[in-house]
Amino acid sequence: TEHDARWHLDRFMQDSFLAERLRDARVLEVQGGGVPLAAPLQQPYADHVILIGDAARHVNPITGGGIHTALRGGVLAAEFLAEFLPTGAAPTADALAEYHTRWLDAFGRLMWELYRTKTAIFRRDRPPAQQDADLYRTLSAYFRPDSQYRKV
C-alpha cells in the first residue's frame, strides 16, 4: 500500500474488532532485521521455552521463506503443548524435546538437507558460474510438483 507497516498497525489498534482491548496498549519497540538463513538451531527448546519460526531459524535456507514454516512450527508446538500441559509434568528441556522430534519428523530433516545443499552450492572455493548453475539446477528441481522439498 501507500502506507508503511506502522500506519497499518496503528489503524489495527485503533479501528479493529480488538480496538477496545488495545485501548491502553502502546508499541514498546520497533525492530527490523534480516532473515536467518543459517542452519536451524540444534536445540530450539530449553526449560519453559519452545522456539519457533525465525527465533529457531526455521527458515528455508534456499528460498528464504519462513512464514509457512513458522506457522507449521506453531501448529506443531500447539499440538504438543495441548497434550503435554494437562499431564502436569514440569516443562523442562528434556520434557519439551519431544516438540523438536516432531518438528524434525514433519519437515525439519528436509530443512537440514536444504541447508547442507545451500552450503555445498555456495562454498567459497567454487567459481561463481558453477554456483549459479548448481543453484539453478537446485531451484528447478525444488519447484517441481513432485519435489520432496515442497513441504518445506
Side-chain angles (χ1 to χ4, degrees):
T1 72
E2 295 177 11
H3 301 286
D4 64 14
R6 178 61 185 258
W7 183 90
H8 288 284
L9 176 61
D10 290 341
R11 292 297 73 69
F12 178 80
M13 291 175 69
Q14 294 169 15
D15 302 330
S16 77
F17 66 97
L18 292 174
E20 182 59 31
R21 289 181 67 188
L22 298 173
R23 180 175 22 99
D24 296 324
R26 62 187 172 88
V27 174
L28 299 177
E29 184 176 342
V30 176
Q31 292 188 8
V35 175
L37 296 179
L41 291 180
Q42 297 270 350
Q43 185 176 326
Y45 56 90
D47 291 348
H48 303 275
V49 175
I50 291 177
L51 299 176
I52 62 169
D54 284 9
R57 291 192 258 163
H58 292 173
V59 175
N60 183 314
I62 298 286
T63 66
I67 293 173
H68 66 292
T69 55
L71 292 172
R72 289 180 64 204
V75 168
L76 287 170
E79 291 170 349
F80 167 71
L81 290 171
E83 295 169 16
F84 176 78
L85 292 175
T87 70
T92 63
D94 286 343
L96 299 178
E98 174 64 22
Y99 154 73
H100 184 57
T101 300
R102 292 181 187 191
W103 177 82
L104 285 169
D105 290 343
F107 61 99
R109 294 183 206 294
L110 289 175
M111 191 173 284
W112 271 100
E113 190 174 323
L114 283 169
Y115 177 74
R116 286 188 291 275
T117 299
K118 180 194 91 161
T119 301
I121 290 171
F122 293 108
R123 281 192 343 251
R124 291 180 189 252
D125 63 340
R126 302 181 70 232
Q130 189 176 12
Q131 292 175 344
D132 289 348
D134 287 349
L135 182 59
Y136 176 80
R137 192 170 25 264
T138 300
L139 286 173
S140 296
Y142 182 90
F143 289 108
R144 287 183 29 208
D146 60 342
S147 171
Q148 67 175 336
Y149 300 117
R150 291 198 52 87
K151 293 201 250 180
V152 180

